[in-house]
């Protein structure tokens, strides 16, 4: 009985140690990726900044309607379809993702620039919360009041398609 207990404790120790090592490696890799992404940047030129701001505000403003068809020309077809599937799932669950007080704080172009692609690091802030059409206005107002305006960073990837840069991906894992 004692050997069985010792074996179980040893195995448990090995699994916990491996889990901690893996967690640290992943954390270090993500931290390093974030540092690399933030260090290799340039300021946006006026044309790119205007194009980005237009796309950012239009897409973020369209999101709460659960319908991206009005901004489909700003996105690649694959990305638009992917995002619309998320919104359709919200609709099936009677949810609406509300975004308020949207403001861009800073934008930078990530290096290296690849042909027909631009990666833009944006730091912005907004109030982001969900309402449920099955709930009362009071409950939805409480959800709004519980949500704070928060700052976040994302990388928006644009691809050149038919002479127009379109959003192909948004990396929110920063």
């Amino acid at each position: 009985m004692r050997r069985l207990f010792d074996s179980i404790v040893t195995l448990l120790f090995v699994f916990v140690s491996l889990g901690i090592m893996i967690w640290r490696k992943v954390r270090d890799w993500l931290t390093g990726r974030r540092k690399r992404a933030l260090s290799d940047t340039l300021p946006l030129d006026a044309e790119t900044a205007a194009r980005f701001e237009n796309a950012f505000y239009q897409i973020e403003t369209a999101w709460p309607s659960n319908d991206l068809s009005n901004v489909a020309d700003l996105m690649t077809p694959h990305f638009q379809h992917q995002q619309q599937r998320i919104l359709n799932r919200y609709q099936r669950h009677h949810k609406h993702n509300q975004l308020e007080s949207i403001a861009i704080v800073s934008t930078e172009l990530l290096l290296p620039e690849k042909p027909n692609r631009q990666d833009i690091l944006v730091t912005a802030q907004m109030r982001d919360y969900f309402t449920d059409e099955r709930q009362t206005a009071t409950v939805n107002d409480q959800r709004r009041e519980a949500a704070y305006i928060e700052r976040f960073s994302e990388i928006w990837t644009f691809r050149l398609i038919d002479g127009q840069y379109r959003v192909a991906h948004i990396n929110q894992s920063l």
Side-chain angles (χ1 to χ4, degrees):
M1 194 64 150
R2 178 78 176 152
R3 285 185 182 191
L4 178 63
F5 178 75
D6 289 345
S7 297
I8 290 172
V9 169
T10 303
L11 281 173
L12 185 61
F13 177 76
V14 168
F15 283 127
V16 169
S17 297
L18 283 173
I20 290 171
M21 283 182 7
I22 291 169
W23 177 78
R24 285 182 178 166
K25 290 286 184 187
V26 168
R27 182 194 64 195
D28 293 347
W29 179 78
L30 288 172
T31 302
R33 188 178 75 175
R34 188 175 302 125
K35 285 179 183 175
R36 283 189 304 277
L38 300 179
S39 65
D40 299 333
T41 62
L42 288 174
L44 295 182
D45 61 84
E47 180 184 334
T48 304
R51 178 178 37 80
F52 173 76
E53 286 181 20
N54 178 53
F56 180 85
Y57 285 118
Q58 283 192 42
I59 291 170
E60 295 292 357
T61 303
W63 189 258
S65 70
N66 283 354
D67 181 15
L68 297 177
S69 60
N70 291 337
V71 291
D73 61 326
L74 298 173
M75 298 179 265
T76 63
H78 175 73
F79 184 70
Q80 194 266 341
H81 176 72
Q82 193 178 40
Q83 298 305 299
Q84 190 61 57
R85 285 181 50 202
I86 294 169
L87 292 174
N88 292 343
R89 187 177 36 209
Y90 290 166
Q91 232 171 358
R92 283 192 307 276
H93 292 97
H94 308 282
K95 291 182 176 183
H96 292 277
N97 188 199
Q98 303 297 329
L99 307 176
E100 299 175 358
S101 304
I102 303 167
I104 294 174
V105 176
S106 67
T107 55
E108 297 178 81
L109 185 64
L110 294 177
L111 295 177
E113 288 185 61
K114 296 179 181 173
N116 303 325
R117 175 180 160 174
Q118 290 182 328
D119 293 320
I120 298 175
L121 171 65
V122 59
T123 300
Q125 62 189 33
M126 72 173 80
R127 181 189 312 258
D128 183 357
Y129 63 98
F130 282 94
T131 57
D132 188 327
E133 59 191 39
R134 298 170 296 184
Q135 297 294 328
T136 64
T138 304
V139 170
N140 286 326
D141 286 344
Q142 289 171 345
R143 288 179 179 177
R144 182 188 182 280
E145 293 302 318
Y148 296 103
I149 295 175
E150 294 184 20
R151 190 167 285 196
F152 60 93
S153 294
E154 301 174 329
I155 297 174
W156 286 47
T157 298
F158 289 80
R159 294 205 191 282
L160 188 61
I161 298 175
D162 298 330
Q164 179 184 355
Y165 277 102
R166 297 172 184 239
V167 180
H169 181 71
I170 300 173
N171 181 351
Q172 298 177 318
S173 65
L174 297 181

